[in-house]
């Protein structure tokens, strides 16, 4: 027993990601990449995190030290170098892939400031994948041989294919954070990235006539994980599988759903420096001051009795934005206030902005990315809305539970795994923590919000819900242990 524990805890993990919070983040992947490696280190692993040296991260680590030179690894891939940025936590070191021609751009990692995907993304993320594979091979890192290469989403998903097709490299695990983004490119990218022509097959890197990064990872990784148990089941079905359900079903024995944690130090209402008045489960009165402050900031009537609904989200189809738009007028007519923060598809940003114009002083939609306001909405709102059509895990519903802001969610993915609908049974057994609906339509969302508002009007029930959510721990320890088991399985292969 002791011997196997020692082996478990000495694993060396190279963790490859295209985002890492707080420096580079377009969504939950950034949060996971900054929290999971330290949790793995805490569980005894020795972790190096590899990510591109985007401008924001380069300027956050001005003293990053040149470390290794990366040779030209494929016909159209540039040479690059690796920098040691420093420790994210004890046992988790940050390594930057420095290649200004590829990564020194403004905009987000994937698109320019107009939202157009960079035209050379196949090379940018082909390079990241290829370097991850190269670096995981024997002898590349002095005195440090990775046991496992852990890839995340399509941006690093080609690494398992490089291992299978070119040899070398450490055993691989790929985590799917969102199957809807697959990284599809024209056939020509194959040669540019040094992949053999014979790999362009249905059981290789090809997907409907194109090169698919994510499919390649799912095909060739030793183990596959995704970010909740329910999503692991859902993606094996046509409704959620994005055309990859057959492959995922075929690989079901190598597929594990591991629920994300949240960073409980960043998302703790009693320590939160972004909110006007920190509060805790034993001093919940403080939440009322945060509500008043949010109402004031948004120009709403300052009234503790008006239900204040909050939402922080990418404004996309996935997140159920259309359902919110169809329901908002009615919710406001029924006396709710609505505070929404998000950015996303232009059409949705416009429709949400129109909502603010129609309902001044009752609805405010802020288009933008604002970390402090996200915390203030979690703290100040009474009820949190997350009606996603699909949701691999979702972090905001866990933040809202921690903040005593019961969520209204659709029963899908990680939402189904974290939110327990209020019913007579769940009230009686103490498991209720929010409101869940099934059908992906506006009527069902409306019904769930109405149920939430009715419960909000009953202080005894409401306190019970808030208390249960706030006392639940969503830390990373469990997840880290489960990833270590997956690494062990990958090694056995
Ligand atoms: P996804 O990764 O699909 O967008 P998650 O719920 O996993 O969804 O993670 C989203 C993360 O991004 C959360 O940390 C959330 O608070 C944050 N976020 C999303 N939109 C905004 C925004 N406009 N301003 C601030 N934070 C945001
Ligand atoms: C993705 C998913 C989200 C998940 C996040 C982190 O962006 O959409 O549900 O929480 O990745 O794994």
């Amino acid at each position: 027993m002791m011997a196997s524990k020692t082996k478990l805890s000495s694993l060396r993990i190279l963790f490859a990601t295209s985002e890492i919070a707080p420096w580079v983040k377009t969504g939950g992947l950034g949060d996971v990449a900054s929290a999971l490696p330290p949790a793995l280190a805490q569980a005894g692993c020795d972790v190096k995190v590899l990510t591109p040296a985007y401008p924001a991260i380069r300027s956050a680590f001005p003293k990053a030290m040149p470390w290794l030179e990366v040779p030209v690894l494929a016909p159209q891939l540039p040479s690059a170098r690796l920098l040691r940025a420093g420790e994210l936590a004890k046992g988790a070191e940050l390594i930057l892939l420095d290649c200004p021609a590829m990564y020194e751009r403004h905009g987000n990692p994937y698109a320019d400031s107009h939202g157009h995907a960079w035209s050379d993304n196949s090379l940018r993320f082909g390079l990241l994948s290829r370097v991850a594979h190269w670096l995981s091979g024997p002898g590349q890192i002095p005195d440090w041989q990775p046991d496992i290469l852990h890839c995340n989403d399509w941006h690093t998903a080609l690494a398992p294919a490089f291992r299978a097709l070119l040899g070398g490299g450490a055993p691989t695990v790929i985590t799917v954070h969102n199957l809807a983004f697959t990284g599809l490119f024209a056939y020509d990218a194959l040669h540019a990235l040094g992949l053999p022509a014979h790999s362009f097959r249905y059981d290789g890197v090809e997907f409907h006539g194109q090169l698919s990064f994510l499919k390649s990872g799912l095909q060739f990784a030793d183990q596959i994980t995704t970010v909740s148990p329910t999503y692991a089941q859902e993606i094996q079905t046509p409704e959620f599988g994005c055309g990859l359900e057959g492959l995922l079903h075929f690989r079901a024995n190598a597929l594990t759903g591991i629920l994300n944690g949240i960073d409980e130090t960043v998302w703790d209402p009693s320590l939160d420096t972004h909110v006007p008045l920190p509060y805790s489960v034993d001093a919940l009165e403080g939440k009322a001051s945060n509500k008043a402050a949010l109402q004031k900031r948004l120009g709403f009537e300052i009234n503790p009795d008006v239900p204040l609904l909050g939402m922080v989200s990418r404004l996309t189809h996935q997140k159920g934005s259309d359902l919110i738009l169809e329901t908002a007028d009615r919710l406001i007519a029924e006396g709710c206030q609505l505070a929404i923060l998000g950015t996303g598809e232009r059409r949705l940003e416009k429709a949400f902005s129109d909502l603010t114009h129609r309902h001044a002083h009752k609805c405010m939609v802020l288009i933008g990315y604002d970390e402090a306001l996200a915390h203030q909405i979690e703290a100040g709102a009474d009820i949190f809305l997350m009606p996603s059509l699909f949701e691999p895990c979702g972090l905001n519903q866990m933040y809202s539970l921690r903040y005593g802001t019961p969520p209204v969610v659709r029963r899908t993915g990680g939402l189904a795994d974290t939110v327990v609908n209020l019913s007579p049974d769940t009230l009686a057994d103490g498991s209720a923590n929010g409101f869940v609906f099934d059908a992906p339509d506006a009527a069902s969302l409306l019904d769930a919000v109405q149920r939430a508002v009715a419960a909000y009007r009953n202080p005894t029930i409401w306190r019970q819900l808030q208390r249960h959510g706030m006392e639940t721990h969503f830390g990373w320890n469990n997840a880290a242990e489960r990833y270590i088991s997956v690494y062990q399985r990958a090694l056995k292969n």
Side-chain angles (χ1 to χ4, degrees), residues 38 43 162 167 175 194 199 247 261 269 317 345 375 381 426 472 475 481:
F162 285 125
T175 297
S199 65
L247 173 56
H317 183 65
E345 293 166 21
H375 286 246
T426 59
T472 306
E481 293 296 339

Side-chain angles (χ1 to χ4, degrees), residues 19 26-33 152-153 175-179 181 226-228 231 258-261 314 318-319 386 388 390-398 413-415 476 483:
E19 301 184 19
T26 68
L29 170 60
D31 292 301
V32 173
N152 292 275
D153 273 353
T175 297
V176 178
H177 297 264
N178 194 332
L179 196 66
F181 300 102
T226 188
V227 289
S228 69
Y231 194 59
I258 303 177
L259 193 70
N260 285 333
R314 288 186 287 117
Q318 171 193 347
K319 298 293 177 178
M386 205 157 165
S388 308
F390 69 96
E391 192 62 76
C393 178
L395 300 174
N396 270 303
Q397 82 281 11
M398 294 191 265
L415 301 176
W476 274 100
Y483 276 106

Side-chain angles (χ1 to χ4, degrees), residues 322-401:
D322 295 288
L323 302 189
I324 298 281
L325 287 167
E326 283 175 57
T327 326
D329 290 329
R330 176 78 182 267
L331 293 173
I332 293 163
E334 291 186 7
C336 296
Q337 295 172 338
L338 204 48
I340 299 178
L341 169 65
T343 54
E345 293 166 21
R346 294 289 181 268
R347 128 191 118 83
L348 290 167
E349 287 186 354
K350 170 147 187 349
F352 273 105
S353 301
D354 290 348
L355 209 56
T356 308
H357 295 133
R358 282 208 302 282
H359 301 288
H361 312 301
K362 289 184 178 158
C363 171
M364 175 63 85
V365 179
L366 293 127
I367 303 295
Y369 196 92
D370 186 335
E371 192 73 30
L373 184 57
H375 286 246
Q376 288 154 17
I377 290 178
E378 290 287 5
D382 296 304
I383 296 165
F384 195 84
L385 304 180
M386 205 157 165
S388 308
L389 302 185
F390 69 96
E391 192 62 76
C393 178
L395 300 174
N396 270 303
Q397 82 281 11
M398 294 191 265
Y399 302 155
S400 68
L401 289 168

